[in-house]
Amino acid sequence: MNSVLQALLHTPPLRDYFLSDRHNRYYCQLKNGVKLCLACDVDAMFSAVFSGDRKPYSPAKFLYSWWQHASDLASYDQQDAHEFFISMLDGIHENVERDRGKPPSPGHGDCCIAHRVFSGILRSDVMCMACGFTSTTYDPCVDISLDLEPHQVTAHEANGFSSTQIPTTSTLIGCLDRFTRPERLGSDQKFFCQQCQVSQESLKQMSIRKLPLVSCFHIKRFEHSHTRKMSRKVDRYLQFPFSLDMAPYLSSSILRSRFGDDGDDVAANEMSSEFELFAVVTHSGKLDAGHYVTYLRLSNQWYKCDDAWITRVNENVVRAAQGYMMFYVQKMLYYRASAQVCPS
């Protein structure tokens, strides 16, 4: 929880929203009674963290509220930072939507502060390999989960996992290339072509129609073997850039390379495609136990946030870290933000 909260507390548009009193917990409680509101507790947390008090802050009240929201995770068992991140955004979204008298819905990025900051839109194209007919769907997302690039396998598999492999360095760019690369679906995944009126083999390609203000990338560091019914953590190194251009992964760019034009996909061009890294959540340990640490970038100085211990670190320490979640903010917001604050 601490690792994700450190990243969220220093997310520029989220910080600006709560510190400018856009969600006033006193007014919210006066209007809606004393019921639990996760956004109110986030507002209280921002006020406490940026009050100037140098003592470590314990988000105990927030933890209690989150447990009320996510009762399936309300225990003292080991939990996953990524699951907590998704659950927290869902909790803020549901509270705000309920206050407006609307049923909770994913929306398209403008319904609440959580989605205004983190929500983007993915485009999925499935093309019939017989006639070329393409079925397109759009889905909102608050993060993108990426597979690590595969090893080059040179021998048999042992225990359900590849045993002899040529080590390859995974990069975030390579993972994004793989995510948006056309994938031929197997014969067991045929889709019904509206033009052919029969099930056909197809190609599927993902792209990003609309970029969020803050892009969160979650690295899938857990392997599952169906043959041996085993799971393990993948401790491979991942290179990630401090500056990232998302233009190659936009639907407009991919459609242009495929057809020579970008169709009606103009939403992706409304915002800058250049991003800056400002937070990295890392995990050390094994599949069922471990420890999370966050690295924060403030005014181009990196800090290691290990619960109540905050230390300055060199950027090479960050580059060598085993990234599990990476948070990138639109470059214009990164440099516009008043980042002259100490980490909390």
Side-chain angles (χ1 to χ4, degrees):
M1 181 181 69
N2 287 347
S3 63
V4 173
L5 289 181
Q6 283 285 14
L8 296 183
L9 284 165
H10 293 88
T11 297
L14 202 63
R15 184 185 69 207
D16 294 346
Y17 176 88
F18 282 101
L19 292 185
S20 61
D21 209 28
R22 300 286 295 281
H23 184 95
N24 187 300
R25 61 190 180 279
Y26 303 110
Y27 173 75
C28 181
Q29 290 164 6
L30 186 66
K31 176 185 175 184
N32 301 299
V34 293
K35 68 181 183 182
L36 289 169
C37 173
L38 210 60
C40 284
D41 289 315
V42 172
D43 180 57
M45 186 161 47
F46 269 95
S47 296
V49 162
F50 289 97
S51 67
D53 189 343
R54 307 305 299 166
K55 295 192 298 292
Y57 173 75
S58 175
K61 191 173 186 301
F62 173 83
L63 176 61
Y64 174 74
S65 293
W66 176 62
W67 275 356
Q68 303 303 302
H69 162 71
S71 57
D72 57 321
L73 299 174
S75 71
Y76 292 96
D77 296 333
Q78 294 280 337
Q79 303 291 354
D80 179 64
H82 178 247
E83 288 183 5
F84 169 73
F85 169 72
I86 297 298
S87 175
M88 178 178 170
L89 294 190
D90 285 345
I92 294 174
H93 170 69
E94 289 181 11
N95 281 137
V96 173
E97 289 291 276
R98 188 166 56 243
D99 290 346
R100 292 180 178 178
K102 300 178 182 178
S105 60
H108 287 274
D110 60 353
C111 55
C112 67
I113 183 57
H115 286 89
R116 284 206 298 274
V117 172
F118 289 100
S119 183
I121 299 176
L122 291 179
R123 171 175 173 148
S124 174
D125 291 320
V126 181
M127 184 180 73
C128 173
M129 296 184 65
C131 71
F133 173 80
T134 301
S135 172
T136 301
T137 57
Y138 299 98
D139 292 298
C141 66
V142 294
D143 70 340
I144 296 178
S145 293
L146 298 170
D147 292 301
L148 288 166
E149 295 173 274
H151 279 303
Q152 298 179 24
V153 182
T154 59
H156 66 283
E157 298 218 340
N159 296 328
F161 298 110
S162 302
S163 56
T164 305
Q165 303 167 329
I166 299 175
T168 54
T169 299
S170 282
T171 66
L172 183 63
I173 300 297
C175 293
L176 285 166
D177 288 340
R178 192 165 183 254
F179 179 76
T180 55
R181 187 180 302 153
E183 173 191 6
R184 182 168 182 166
L185 301 180
S187 56
D188 59 335
Q189 295 178 288
K190 289 183 178 180
F191 94 115
F192 184 80
C193 176
Q194 296 178 20
Q195 194 159 292
C196 298
Q197 288 297 301
V198 293
S199 295
Q200 300 279 24
E201 292 194 3
S202 59
L203 280 176
K204 180 179 180 179
Q205 186 169 25
M206 300 293 298
S207 59
I208 302 170
R209 185 174 194 266
K210 178 178 177 292
L211 288 165
L213 294 176
V214 176
S215 292
C216 173
F217 300 109
H218 160 241
I219 306 303
K220 298 178 183 177
R221 289 199 171 273
F222 305 105
E223 271 187 357
H224 306 283
S225 170
H226 298 293
T227 56
R228 294 296 297 270
K229 297 181 180 179
M230 294 171 58
S231 299
R232 72 174 181 180
K233 185 189 169 194
V234 182
D235 286 319
R236 287 170 54 203
Y237 173 65
L238 175 76
Q239 283 184 354
F240 46 88
F242 285 5
S243 297
L244 176 65
D245 187 359
M246 292 293 290
Y249 315 110
L250 297 178
S251 302
S252 53
S253 301
I254 289 175
L255 288 172
R256 192 178 300 116
S257 64
R258 192 195 301 169
F259 302 114
D261 62 64
D262 56 6
D264 63 349
D265 238 278
V266 296
N269 299 317
E270 292 177 357
M271 292 185 176
S272 168
S273 63
E274 296 185 340
F275 286 74
E276 289 291 320
L277 180 70
F278 71 93
V280 181
V281 175
T282 68
H283 179 270
S284 58
K286 299 181 180 179
L287 182 71
D288 56 350
H291 184 60
Y292 290 98
V293 166
T294 296
Y295 292 94
L296 284 177
R297 182 186 182 191
L298 300 173
S299 300
N300 281 324
Q301 171 63 54
W302 284 96
Y303 297 86
K304 178 182 179 181
C305 304
D306 186 356
D307 290 331
W309 291 271
I310 311 294
T311 53
R312 289 191 179 211
V313 294
N314 186 279
E315 69 173 41
N316 292 329
V317 174
V318 182
R319 293 186 188 278
Q322 189 182 104
Y324 181 56
M325 297 172 69
M326 276 82 73
F327 292 83
Y328 287 83
V329 65
Q330 296 233 352
K331 180 173 285 190
M332 59 179 181
L333 295 178
Y334 175 79
Y335 288 110
R336 186 191 303 167
S338 54
Q340 308 297 327
V341 292
C342 294
S344 310

